[in-house]
Amino acid sequence: MAKNVWTPAERVFRGWMLISAGMYALGAAAFLVIGASIPGVINAISRYTLPLPLYPMPTDAPEGAFWRILSVSMMAMLTWISVQAYRDPRRHGNMIPILLLSKTCSTACYTVFFIRHGHLAYMVGFLTDGPIFLVTALLWYAAAGGERNLTRGEDRILAALGEAFMPRGGRFDLGFADVREASLDGTTRMLAVMDVPTLLAMRLSLHFLNWTPVPAFGRRLVSLSADRRAEWLMRLEARRSVMLRTCVIIAKVLILVPFFEQPEAMDAVGYDPAARVRP
Amino acid sequence: MKTMTYYCKAAVIGTGAGGAVAGATLAEAGIDTILVEQGGVHGTAGHQGVLDGLTNMYADAAMTVALGRPFIPMPIGKAVGGSTIINSSTCFRPPRDRVAAWGGPSYEELEPFFSDIEESISVTTVDTEILGGNGRILKRGCDALGVELKPLRHNIRDCKGRGQCQYGCPEGAKQSMEKNFIPRALGAGARLLAGRRVDRLLMNDGKAVGVAGQGPEGRFEIRADVIVLAMGAFQTPAFLLRNDVANSSERVGRGLHVHPATRVLAEMDEIVDGFKGLPQGAYVDRWADRGIMLEGIFTPPGLMIAGAPGAGHALKNLAADYRRLSGFGVMVADTASGRVLRGRFGLPFIVLYQTSRRDAETMRFGIARLAEIFFAAGAKRVFTNFLPMMSLESPGDLKAFESAPVKPSYLEMMAFHPLGTCRMGSSPADSVVDFDLAAHDVPNLYIMDGSVVPGSLGVNPQITIMGLALRAARRLAARLRA
């Protein structure tokens, strides 16, 4: 079987998954061996640092052991998911939402409990799980495009933007929809040579653009008609917000450069790449 | 995995305007030299269009961006030949007053090096015939207003006017580094390691003794007597900051100067066919005292239309009139300065640059002058890239345009020619290298790229960078031979 060639985004994600697997495995071992004394350690730190109420020490077995068993089993599951995602992010990347769900729940609960009870232990949990959630989500999302560096959802956004920028009909017949696949291939070529953070910024800007009409129309850009989309994009271009205008420019470059690389599009505007002044 | 180790006398990191000249000069002086380049080898002749150029020869498909308001794309080359492979081939010597302001070698002392370089890369004055329709429009407008449109000097042999200089000359006519200094270096016995990114400076007893990095086959090290950094004004300071060296002055990465630039488009009644001809072959320096240079620019339709305002049928109508479009650029010598930070989160570097209001006003003044020229040439409409008035319908609109409020964020710009992030100077207190381009703090470490040029030049800097590198490399070669 041919060995997978990972994209830079996938390589970074795999690295993070390897670190995560180690982290969760270590966590599982710690909960198993010294789980009962962890609150005591945090309370000790709390005493010398922040004047926060102390966390009540867990009750003796069997109730305390029950929660430890749950924690260890959760960590074991997260370790296994991380290992699988490390082995093959394309095949097993779809398990990451489980990991993210776990981190969303823990971060949200830690936040609520910290607000209600003020124990340092909850703050530590929030400060640990929150960033882990964020990093995992971003890197998973960056890698989710696979070989093409684009998800199917982003394909749809690009196509919707392409049809808004270059609709069919008018001064020349050809529209983005006529050369969609070839143009999107060109876009993926551009994305493939970008550093991971730049790639991430490009793709997030597409989603951002997609959501911009929601406050005005209650619908995303992909759900608007092509004319309405074009009208909306022109409105964004005229805004003073640098962020909005930058997103429109990024979309134009990602779409129109590959579009006008298509021979039909070159013909339509009368551009001849072989033209020269001197023979 | 085993680390591959190379040994040489001089390791030159980067093969652009500075690195290629340094590498060839050292190799021709009989010094065992290795050149390292992050990008690949891309012979430009026969390449296929803009997309090929953007994906093979630019870092990040030309999406390298400086953070500020507005965000400014600052495209840089990533190939053997560096940015010389994707520049517009314009050749200016540095203005005398700027050289005098450096406080180092005089213009007269540098002049022979500039001459040597110009001969090596075949610099000639542009034949106006090659300017094509775009040049014709500008000439007509300038003549009507009594403004002189001057032919540029460029490093192209037998230019055919294919109009694609910035994506790698498809005729192979541009005399970028992979056409002259790189072959000269290789001919003199230098070795070239392409597709390899250097990330560590190896030190011993406070001296630079080598570099290490990552290549396609794994980690590698180069052990050398001297290290010449020539990765450009972004990568070189980021590399030094990452390695925490040569920064006792705390000037590394600071003092970034660029040439903010924007393109003004005009819609004409006549067929222009601006893509047939040399895109950047003429200039107007009438307002050079205000830091403004007007230089030609015309691109194939993808980038041309992507940079135009509008969407839907409005944009499509403009695209349909592509053959009737004329374009020219406004370039400003900046008064603001930015900063390069070491890379984080997978980025090789981070650039911070906030355009000043003064530079934005200068830019608007330049756009207005260019719009006047276009209207004098018969333009129906002019697109400004200035938010309050993105298009001007007649010369009568210029008054409102020039009195509209101006903020940097209202302008859509790009910036070119990054300089100044490892400035040269006589004092280790306020500069990174001396006038021989040797690092003040680290013996055996040299920097030979645009980062040493202190401040904006107001003109395209390739001759300046090459001239400084030639002078420094000859001195270094003499030292090594001794």
Side-chain angles (χ1 to χ4, degrees), chain B residues 61-81:
Chain B
M63 292 283 200
T64 305
V65 167
L67 304 178
R69 276 175 60 82
F71 300 123
I72 305 183
M74 296 187 178
I76 50 171
K78 184 180 168 185
V80 171

Side-chain angles (χ1 to χ4, degrees), chain B residues 7 38 160 199 204 348 356 407 418 428 469:
Chain B
Y7 296 89
Q38 188 188 348
K160 306 284 186 206
D199 51 34
N204 187 15
S356 68
K407 280 186 183 177

